[in-house]
Amino acid sequence: MPKDGGIGAATLRREDVRFLTGAGQYCDDIKVFGQASAMFARSNVANGVIKSIDTTAAAAMPGVLAIFTGEDFVEVGGNPAGWLINSRDGTPMHEPKRPVLAHGKVRHVGDAYAAVIAETPEQAKNAIEAIEADIEELPAVVNMKDALSGSNYVHDEIGTNQCFDWGWIEDNRDATDAAIKGAHHVTTLELVNNRLVPNAMEPRCSMAQYNRANDEYILHTTSQNPHLTRLLISAFVLGIPENKLTVIAPDVGGGFGSKIYHYGEEALVLAAAKKLNRPVKWTADRSEAFLTDAHGRDHVTKIELAMDAEGNFLAFRTETLANVGAYLSNFSTATPTFLHGTLMAGNYTVPNVYVNVKTVFTNTAPVDAYRGAGRPEATYSLERVIDMAAREIRMDPVELRRKNFIKPDQYPFASAAGLEYDSGNYDALMDKMEVVADKKGFEARRAESESKGLLRGFGVNAYIEACGIAPSNLVGILGSRVGLYDAATVRVNATGSLSVMVGAHSHGQGHETAFPQVVAEMLGIDPMSIDIVHGDTSKIPFGMGTYGSRSLAVCGSAVVRATEKIINKAKKIAAHMLEASEGDIAFNDGAFSVAGTDKSVSFGEVAFKAYVPHEFPLEDIEPGLEETAFYDPANFTYPSGAYCCEVELDPETGKVRVDRFAAVDDFGNIVNPMIVTGQVHGGLGQGIGQAMLENTTYDENGQLLSASYMDYTMPRADDLPFYTVDHSQGTPCTHNPLGVKGCGEAGAIGSPPTIVNAVIDAMQSGGKNVTHIDMPVTPHRVWSAMQNA
Amino acid sequence: MTKVTMTINGKSVAGDVEGNTLLASFLRDDLHLTGTHIGCDTSQCGACVVHVDGRAVKSCTMFATEANGAEVATIEGQAAADGTLNVIQQAFQDHHGLQCGFCTPGMVMSTAALLKDNPKPTVTEVRTYLEGNICRCTGYHNIVKAIMAASGQDVSAIAAE
């Protein structure tokens, strides 16, 4: 052991058995004695003054136990922004209070201004209908440009709709301007990164219990990071001491970022549980999810690429408006800045980069990190403008990228956007992509498509991302209010089985399978003797959870460090058992032996001795075998990749079909290739969805027009192709013990520009000089672009 | 309240329900069969698919009273009594056809209905049939592959891992 279950094995997932048999336990599946139901009264206008809320009739409805309004939470704190960003002129950003329930004003459709607790969900719903709220509708601020030019403010007390005006890197601004001014060729592109709704299939749900005898709370909630949620509730919102609040995230049915954040509903059910001394649960329906889950993307960007006469990149300069919605969600200020601007040098040796981002309040749902978070926006801008530049200077788009790639001998490489890339080989990825995608066969396939009256386009993209979020020292300088380490406790039980408590929390990533593979490899034992404990703050060490492709790179590194401590202590115990000196003890294949002898003890025997410490050298060694490690990464990790796709386009209808898609990624070392491939597939599905199908549409009054699966086009099985995925070109991360980089977001980052580049190539091949089209590339947009070209 | 009786996974059950109680709610809230999930309000996502008298039904769209007297099959009844997964469940595990698991019960139940009517579907037929089941995690690649494998067809040409 673990010959077939350690690092590198495509081990089948152990969690699958419960999910496949209906035995998974998601938050709404948990029902406790005496449980009451919460429902929310939500604004149906995007901007309005709350004149009065009369709850008299609602309170008299059958089953109603309590009603809350914003008035009840005036004395408690607000839900904070996790990053404090300064504007270019050094002034701090505006952080308006985000209350548990709206007070004074409602600021987006779906903004909750009251809540009813009743015996049943139906009774609560009926009572919501009976609340008489006099809300005076005001004109809504929806469009970002209007928001910045007008005098209608989402938050009157701020007196502007601009949250901040950020420059990155401000000292590079003049050099970048000069490089663009003096360049042989400048390509300019204005584009929209369309607003998306994450749409985890499990709607959010929170259930609070309160024990009056101990003044203790338990919150079951749909969270990617239960400790972070507890910290926000304790330190910022309700002030419940952490030792009195347990947060448990059971099985979580997808998140993609939307379940990172603390939401007001969690605070409401906690307050209600205490007031009523009863468990209180709220479960979102899908409409509420559309209206209130933090949305993603929503950037409007102008990007310029300057080149010399040979096609060498001289500078990238961007101006971006980023929508943050009506309130600042927890990571909303980091996403368009440090997860976006720092990636704006891409995979390239470009010497000058300057990024300007203005974040804008609007009367729409909050916008925050969604799978990729800032990095898809950076990649999309870069990889679209590079393709456009290649067309303008009549150079092959792959060759233009290769010409400017950072070369393998240049690492560590200080990018012009302020990061230090540790490893990579972008040419090798591109080489492999061309092989696995059969790029040589493209012209024959194009001819075949054309014989059917269809156009075929080839699109390519290279991406880099910063994952393994994140070095606390660095993010502290950049404005983060938290550290971004993670933690693990490895507990060896007396009979040799292991429980590993981790701060990361799976919401589909297979941690229960992959983490034991790491420990089993290190200890040489059966992975099935190791179980992961996660999601419960009363059981796990203080870790920061799962997002930003960080679980294995950060929490996995903590697991390695804790396991190393276990091995070190076990060696001491083994030396005592074998009557040898510690320096002579070797540990191989799950056994401790004395060098040069046949004396050995198994890992299980050492574990038993640790807990039954008879004849134990208590003066030198404590009993027990349990170790904790916190791991704070030295740098981000830098996954990269080369993607390509081929689309078929029907010029009669504008309908586009993705025929082939190849993704070649460098994730460093791989623990479970089956899981990694699945993560890429999922990211591709979401990225292709963004490029072709998904769009979040508010009308001019701030009404959300795409608030159900009848109106928001989720990718279905018949919208997507099979994918070719390759991760054979990995260059190990140089600064974490596993050499891993993270794989969860890559597909969503690399695929949108690949698709759009292919669609433009198809239109060009049909003689239509279309150089730009915005996502999603619906048949209507494609057909219109071709008619107008 | 109306009294309903039905057979669920081979077991006779009875309950008192309101006229507007959905079959999905009856299963989840009254019978604690929480493997049937509710993922949308508009009968689009398919996380709630069960079989009623042998036909795949979105249980969020059917009143419990409409299933009175019916034979109902849910995800909880798909594995053998000793826990052995059925062919479809095993194919989903073997080919990593699930991640967060929330859509999975509906996917398995829809697949069972598909393969009953069409034991050897083409890839196109599988993808078309699944348009009423939304998965946000897998990009569908491994779900389609698992269904092809469950139907006994060779999936070696579909990209591996």
Side-chain angles (χ1 to χ4, degrees):
Chain A
M1 286 293 185
K3 297 292 180 275
D4 53 6
I7 291 174
T11 306
L12 297 184
R13 298 199 326 168
R14 59 178 75 176
E15 48 269 79
D16 286 359
V17 175
R18 70 175 186 273
F19 296 147
L20 283 161
T21 55
Q25 196 171 49
Y26 301 89
C27 196
D28 188 57
D29 299 340
I30 296 165
K31 197 172 179 181
V32 295
F33 182 74
Q35 175 182 303
S37 290
M39 292 280 172
F40 290 84
R42 299 188 182 278
S43 177
N44 56 17
V45 300
N47 190 16
V49 174
I50 302 171
K51 297 268 194 186
S52 65
I53 301 174
D54 185 348
T55 60
T56 318
M61 298 279 288
V64 172
L65 300 168
I67 298 180
F68 293 84
T69 68
E71 201 66 42
D72 295 303
F73 295 94
V74 170
E75 300 300 319
V76 305
N79 191 358
W83 289 60
L84 303 176
I85 307 291
N86 287 341
S87 284
R88 292 189 292 132
D89 62 7
T91 55
M93 71 180 201
H94 296 289
E95 187 187 7
K97 184 175 178 182
R98 187 183 183 191
V100 175
L101 291 172
H103 184 248
K105 266 181 108 176
V106 286
R107 293 184 171 86
H108 66 92
V109 171
D111 203 2
Y113 57 84
V116 171
I117 320 299
E119 295 288 348
T120 70
E122 291 75 22
Q123 289 171 335
K125 210 173 268 181
N126 290 339
I128 291 288
E129 301 289 321
I131 292 177
E132 291 178 22
D134 180 6
I135 297 176
E136 182 191 341
E137 184 172 5
L138 300 173
V141 181
V142 179
N143 176 283
M144 285 195 278
K145 286 178 183 160
D146 295 347
L148 291 181
S149 62
S151 57
N152 181 14
Y153 304 126
V154 177
H155 296 276
D156 301 312
E157 68 278 17
I158 297 175
T160 171
N161 287 319
Q162 182 174 287
C163 178
F164 56 77
D165 173 4
W166 181 77
W168 187 257
I169 295 169
E170 201 57 27
D171 289 348
N172 293 352
R173 185 178 199 179
D174 291 344
T176 304
D177 289 348
I180 288 173
K181 203 170 178 188
H184 175 78
H185 187 95
V186 178
T187 300
T188 304
L189 174 61
E190 292 186 41
L191 49 78
V192 174
N193 207 292
N194 44 326
R195 183 174 179 128
L196 305 174
V197 178
N199 274 305
M201 293 315 298
E202 179 203 20
R204 287 192 292 120
C205 172
S206 300
M207 193 266 284
Q209 293 164 272
Y210 178 69
N211 182 334
R212 186 170 283 171
N214 309 327
D215 192 29
E216 284 176 357
Y217 301 79
I218 301 172
L219 176 69
H220 284 80
T221 193
T222 44
S223 176
Q224 302 173 213
N225 31 246
H227 265 301
L228 187 57
T229 298
R230 189 180 76 169
L231 178 67
L232 290 166
I233 294 170
S234 292
F236 290 92
V237 184
L238 294 181
I240 300 168
E242 285 139 297
N243 57 319
K244 296 294 187 187
L245 173 60
T246 295
V247 175
I248 301 172
D251 288 328
V252 179
F256 317 113
S258 68
K259 293 172 183 169
I260 296 172
Y261 325 114
H262 166 57
Y263 291 88
E265 291 89 353
E266 292 170 323
L268 187 286
V269 295
L270 284 164
K274 179 171 187 176
K275 179 172 181 176
L276 296 171
N277 200 27
R278 280 180 64 168
V280 176
K281 185 201 274 181
W282 164 77
T283 304
D285 60 27
R286 184 56 60 184
S287 304
E288 284 182 294
F290 271 105
L291 293 173
T292 67
D293 287 3
H295 294 180
R297 316 286 192 257
D298 206 353
H299 285 195
V300 176
T301 292
K302 177 184 170 190
I303 180 165
E304 295 159 286
L305 163 56
M307 296 183 289
D308 66 15
E310 282 75 49
N312 294 304
F313 295 169
L314 303 176
F316 288 109
R317 183 170 66 190
T318 68
E319 291 172 26
T320 290
L321 298 183
N323 202 337
V324 289
Y327 303 99
L328 295 179
S329 178
N330 302 137
F331 282 95
S332 61
T333 52
T335 300
T337 55
F338 293 109
L339 296 176
H340 167 245
T342 56
L343 275 301
M344 205 52 87
N347 309 43
Y348 308 106
T349 54
V350 58
N352 298 292
V353 172
Y354 180 72
V355 177
N356 175 241
V357 178
K358 296 182 175 74
T359 43
V360 186
F361 290 110
T362 58
N363 290 118
T364 64
V367 181
D368 205 329
Y370 163 61
R371 198 170 195 164
R375 292 149 291 171
E377 294 91 317
T379 300
Y380 185 70
S381 298
L382 290 168
E383 297 297 311
R384 287 290 321 286
V385 80
I386 291 170
D387 245 46
M388 181 182 261
R391 189 164 289 111
E392 287 176 358
I393 64 168
R394 299 177 192 283
M395 188 184 281
D396 179 83
V398 172
E399 286 317 305
L400 181 59
R401 288 177 171 85
R402 286 183 183 274
K403 189 178 183 71
N404 289 281
F405 274 163
I406 300 159
K407 300 301 176 190
D409 60 2
Q410 291 180 282
Y411 295 97
F413 183 84
S415 91
L419 295 176
E420 186 178 283
Y421 302 165
D422 65 331
S423 62
N425 189 339
Y426 311 140
D427 278 302
L429 296 169
M430 202 59 99
D431 292 345
K432 187 72 180 178
M433 180 277 284
E434 294 190 7
V435 173
V436 301
D438 183 29
K439 184 163 180 264
K440 281 186 185 149
F442 171 70
E443 287 304 333
R445 290 188 293 273
R446 171 173 273 176
E448 194 187 330
S449 295
E450 287 174 352
S451 72
K452 295 183 287 184
L454 303 174
L455 301 172
R456 180 173 284 260
F458 184 86
V460 68
N461 154 71
Y463 77 85
I464 187 165
E465 48 172 333
C467 294
I469 291 171
S472 296
N473 282 330
L474 179 57
V475 297
I477 294 167
L478 300 178
S480 174
R481 283 170 149 166
V482 294
L484 286 166
Y485 46 83
D486 218 288
T489 297
V490 175
R491 177 181 298 154
V492 182
N493 300 310
T495 59
S497 66
L498 273 78
S499 304
V500 180
M501 283 62 84
V502 293
H505 189 42
S506 182
H507 44 290
Q509 296 88 342
H511 293 176
E512 291 168 47
T513 302
F515 281 122
Q517 289 182 247
V518 173
V519 180
E521 178 82 24
M522 292 179 72
L523 296 180
I525 60 175
D526 180 358
M528 292 309 291
S529 67
I530 306 164
D531 269 308
I532 294 300
V533 177
H534 56 171
D536 182 338
T537 59
S538 70
K539 296 177 179 169
I540 61 172
F542 189 92
M544 299 306 285
T546 291
Y547 43 83
S549 305
R550 72 189 302 273
S551 296
L552 192 60
V554 185
C555 191
S557 297
V559 169
V560 170
R561 294 280 184 256
T563 306
E564 286 169 351
K565 291 183 184 179
I566 291 286
I567 293 170
N568 288 340
K569 182 170 181 185
K571 275 184 177 174
K572 288 191 195 344
I573 298 170
H576 167 73
M577 293 168 74
L578 295 166
E579 297 175 332
S581 72
E582 192 188 330
D584 291 334
I585 300 293
F587 180 54
N588 290 303
D589 294 330
F592 299 88
S593 56
V594 183
T597 75
D598 60 355
K599 288 177 22 178
S600 78
V601 287
S602 70
F603 183 78
E605 289 171 299
V606 172
F608 190 76
K609 177 60 88 177
Y611 288 97
V612 188
H614 301 160
E615 300 170 25
F616 204 76
L618 291 170
E619 62 282 7
D620 297 328
I621 319 173
E622 291 176 11
L625 197 51
E626 173 171 326
E627 298 288 352
T628 294
F630 284 71
Y631 181 84
D632 203 314
N635 190 354
F636 291 96
T637 62
Y638 299 97
S640 59
Y643 286 11
C644 74
C645 76
E646 292 178 26
V647 298
E648 253 186 359
L649 187 161
D650 184 342
E652 299 293 319
T653 63
K655 171 85 177 159
V656 175
R657 182 179 70 86
V658 182
D659 185 50
R660 299 160 67 89
F661 202 111
V664 178
D665 296 283
D666 173 359
F667 296 136
N669 295 332
I670 303 285
V671 169
N672 184 320
M674 177 193 80
I675 290 174
V676 168
T677 301
Q679 288 294 305
V680 176
H681 289 166
L684 293 177
Q686 291 180 359
I688 296 171
Q690 169 168 27
M692 300 188 63
L693 302 165
E694 299 178 39
N695 202 24
T696 306
T697 308
Y698 284 93
D699 73 8
E700 67 277 13
N701 299 317
Q703 293 293 331
L704 182 58
L705 302 180
S706 52
S708 80
Y709 290 151
M710 311 289 276
D711 307 295
Y712 185 97
T713 315
M714 291 283 279
R716 263 68 167 190
D718 56 358
D719 294 314
L720 298 170
F722 284 123
Y723 321 101
T724 301
V725 174
D726 182 284
H727 31 72
S728 64
Q729 304 302 308
T731 60
C733 169
T734 61
H735 57 78
N736 67 42
L738 290 166
V740 297
K741 296 186 174 180
C743 64
E745 297 163 293
I749 293 168
S751 51
T754 314
I755 295 281
V756 178
N757 287 342
V759 171
I760 289 172
D761 185 56
M763 291 191 284
Q764 291 275 342
S765 79
K768 300 291 187 184
N769 189 27
V770 179
T771 58
H772 172 61
I773 187 168
D774 273 321
M775 301 185 288
V777 289
T778 58
H780 175 252
R781 280 187 177 166
V782 172
W783 187 85
S784 301
M786 292 183 75
Q787 300 308 306
N788 297 332
Chain B
M1 295 290 244
T2 307
K3 192 168 178 63
V4 292
T5 61
M6 60 190 86
T7 306
I8 298 182
N9 301 327
K11 244 199 251 170
S12 180
V13 301
D16 294 313
V17 299
E18 301 285 354
N20 63 357
T21 300
L22 298 170
L23 178 57
S25 305
F26 180 60
L27 293 170
R28 289 181 54 80
D29 299 336
D30 294 0
L31 304 177
H32 308 296
L33 293 170
T34 55
T36 297
H37 297 151
I38 298 174
C40 75
D41 326 325
T42 50
S43 301
Q44 292 284 303
C45 82
C48 66
V49 170
V50 300
H51 294 184
V52 177
D53 290 332
R55 296 182 45 164
V57 166
K58 287 181 172 170
S59 62
C60 75
T61 315
M62 187 176 197
F63 293 122
T65 53
E66 293 179 281
N68 191 27
E71 296 267 350
V72 177
T74 73
I75 189 68
E76 287 88 352
Q78 296 301 297
D82 69 353
T84 305
L85 301 180
N86 74 16
V87 170
I88 295 166
Q89 292 168 314
Q90 190 60 56
F92 269 71
Q93 184 183 31
D94 289 346
H95 298 284
H96 190 26
L98 65 152
Q99 291 183 23
C100 83
F102 195 80
C103 77
T104 305
M107 287 287 178
V108 169
M109 299 308 290
S110 284
T111 302
L114 166 67
L115 297 185
K116 192 174 147 205
D117 293 340
N118 183 359
K120 300 279 181 209
T122 64
V123 165
T124 302
E125 286 170 344
V126 170
R127 289 189 182 274
T128 304
Y129 189 86
L130 288 184
E131 66 184 14
N133 290 82
I134 300 176
C135 167
R136 191 57 154 171
C137 291
T138 64
Y140 300 101
H141 180 115
N142 284 339
I143 290 176
V144 176
K145 189 177 176 185
I147 294 171
M148 295 302 285
S151 71
Q153 303 186 74
D154 180 14
V155 295
S156 57
I158 301 172
E161 255 151 44

